Amino acid sequence: MAWIAPNYWYNANSVQIFGYDDHDHLVGETTPVTLSKNFETTGALMFGVRYLEIRADRQFGWFGVDNLIVHTPPATVPVPGAFWLMATAATGLACSKKRKPA
């Protein structure tokens, strides 16, 4: 979110957010957000982002950022015992023999 105070000539008129990966390659960006006296929102879906850059349309133009939220997807945790348990059960069933009644 970005906010601009209304009574200063040197404020930014718009901002844009850029995301870069580990090799400083651009991986995503938002559309420019025109600022007003109210809070404006923007968002983008970017993967593999190492850092964000927030640029204003004016050099030394200022703006406020509030509630910047970065979501990191949860890591997938494998269940290593599940495979071995199923394999052991299948092997046990395959190797089991029925005993004939005497």
Side-chain angles (χ1 to χ4, degrees):
M1 300 174 106
W3 174 78
I4 186 168
N7 297 322
Y8 299 98
W9 64 271
Y10 51 84
N11 287 340
N13 293 319
S14 67
V15 296
Q16 193 169 5
I17 301 173
F18 299 87
Y20 296 90
D21 66 9
D22 290 334
H23 304 290
D24 294 330
H25 297 126
L26 180 66
V27 294
E29 62 188 82
T30 64
T31 57
V33 177
T34 302
L35 301 175
S36 67
K37 295 179 184 180
N38 301 315
F39 279 99
E40 304 296 333
T41 60
T42 187
L45 186 60
M46 301 180 207
F47 296 98
V49 174
R50 184 173 66 95
Y51 68 92
L52 295 173
E53 177 184 9
I54 304 174
R55 293 186 206 159
D57 64 334
R58 289 186 183 180
Q59 187 177 12
F60 307 115
W62 70 274
F63 55 91
V65 176
D66 189 18
N67 295 335
L68 180 63
I69 300 171
V70 178
H71 292 282
T72 303
T76 304
V77 180
V79 182
F83 173 76
W84 294 112
L85 181 62
M86 288 175 42
T88 303
T91 303
L93 288 172
C95 293
S96 68
K97 296 179 183 178
K98 284 189 174 183
R99 295 186 182 190
K100 292 183 183 181

